[in-house]
Amino acid sequence: MPPYPAPRPPYDPELLAGAPAFPGVIDSPETFAAYRARAQPTAEGLVPLLAELGLAHTEATVPLAGLSSMPDGAMTVSLIRPVDAPLTEALPAVLDLHGGGMVFGNRLDSLLPEHLRWAAEHRLVLISPEYPLAPEHRAPAGAEACFAALCWAEANAVELGVDPARLIVAGVSGGAGLAAAVALQARDLGGPALLGQLLVCPMLDHTGGTDSAAQFTAARGVVDPWPQETNAYAWRMLLGDEAGEVHPYASAWVAGDLAGLPASYVDVGSAEVFRDADIAFAQRLLAAGVDTELHVWPGGFHGFDAAVPGAAVSRRAMAARSAWLGRLLGP
């Protein structure tokens, strides 16, 4: 990672004032284990907001036969659907992949209040898989399992009340990196056809060679839950210490050709590690002829909108994503 002596872009003052206490650097087995042990969301915790929004939560099992990364051969998915939508009504579906650097979290992490509002406002189904995490399952195991969930949703569209012509893949951070890999697989393997991909601060670049990766390190005192030191450690767990040639389904950054991908939405904060890689990925999508919308939110650290949802820039970011979904899905 090159030195970067220039000043960093400033943080948004409202975000800075409202930011919670973030964990320190996660770069060792001890700090990793401690972070993994923190409390995780449960289905019970969703009940009040689901009731308020008129949504129902069910679970299903996706078979993963043939994926050696999952010894038990199956994966649980959460399904969120408006309670007033019968299964005979085929709704759009979003394969919603949780964040956590592909090494932390569970499927309920993806069911943020923002995403639950998507389901209510746009009358769609959220499908959130319990994909395998590293280091127990090296990349591209997570991406392959998420793609299996997409194939399962298409194959079972009638039973799920899903419209197979309106499938979208979405994710935040590590989940957005997986979403990009799912879109690549869908293109390369002949389907399922995707209507769009929604990538929120995606974790795409395993190299750490960008200016923003050099700017936003714990050593420089950043206010961020995901400094470059943590990012680099997560990638080592994903790829191993001797990574060798990296496959695009493990790190979408190395994909040579982005033509033929679905309509894309990419956003990122101006004050975070992933900024430059995400901007470059959106530029490459545009250069490949992909309908792409890019937002760089001024002063945003990684995951700013989830951390400080009431801030003005957070509200703008969430409104822009919802508006893009609305335009994509049409009347």
Side-chain angles (χ1 to χ4, degrees), residues 3-302:
Y4 200 93
R8 300 186 302 267
Y11 293 111
D12 177 276
E14 189 178 12
L15 292 176
L16 202 58
F22 294 124
V25 173
I26 302 166
D27 62 353
S28 68
E30 294 75 22
T31 53
F32 177 77
Y35 195 73
R36 269 264 185 106
R38 81 196 194 290
Q40 297 194 59
T42 65
E44 291 74 21
L46 294 175
V47 169
L49 188 53
L50 291 173
E52 177 186 334
L53 295 173
L55 301 172
H57 173 232
T58 58
E59 294 181 341
T61 300
V62 174
L64 296 176
L67 285 187
S68 60
S69 61
M70 295 291 285
D72 59 1
M75 175 175 64
T76 302
V77 297
S78 282
L79 301 165
I80 302 292
R81 183 183 183 88
V83 295
D84 63 351
L87 291 178
T88 53
E89 181 183 356
L91 300 182
V94 174
L95 182 69
D96 194 8
L97 308 178
H98 72 78
M102 306 181 228
V103 296
F104 298 120
N106 68 19
R107 68 186 184 279
L108 301 177
D109 280 303
S110 75
L111 302 176
L112 299 165
E114 176 192 4
H115 298 199
L116 295 176
R117 287 193 292 271
W118 295 346
E121 294 171 9
H122 299 294
R123 289 187 67 78
L124 54 79
V125 178
L126 296 175
I127 303 171
S128 181
E130 195 69 66
Y131 61 79
L133 301 175
E136 294 84 355
H137 305 284
R138 301 280 192 198
E144 291 174 346
C146 292
F147 179 66
L150 179 69
C151 295
W152 170 84
E154 182 192 50
N156 295 276
V158 173
E159 294 84 353
L160 295 171
V162 162
D163 181 354
R166 293 189 293 170
L167 298 174
I168 299 165
V169 63
V172 176
S173 189
L178 290 172
V182 167
L184 289 169
Q185 290 173 88
R187 180 200 64 180
D188 296 346
L189 303 176
L194 286 170
L195 185 62
Q197 61 173 344
L198 198 168
L199 310 179
V200 179
C201 55
M203 178 180 173
L204 300 169
D205 171 25
H206 68 287
T207 69
T210 64
D211 286 341
S212 57
Q215 284 180 311
F216 293 95
T217 66
R220 299 194 71 199
V222 298
V223 176
D224 202 298
W226 199 257
Q228 174 54 23
E229 294 93 338
T230 298
N231 188 48
Y233 188 70
W235 278 113
R236 286 200 301 275
M237 287 188 288
L238 281 159
L239 302 175
D241 291 326
E242 304 292 334
E245 184 175 356
V246 176
H247 195 280
Y249 302 162
S251 172
W253 184 249
V254 303
D257 179 14
L258 301 184
L261 289 172
S264 301
Y265 183 102
V266 182
D267 80 355
V268 68
S270 68
E272 67 161 296
V273 164
F274 296 153
R275 182 197 65 217
D276 293 347
D278 292 356
I279 293 170
F281 193 75
Q283 290 174 321
R284 289 183 57 210
L285 286 166
L286 289 164
V290 177
D291 180 4
T292 304
E293 182 169 331
L294 168 67
H295 291 267
V296 181
W297 298 107
F301 50 75
H302 187 64

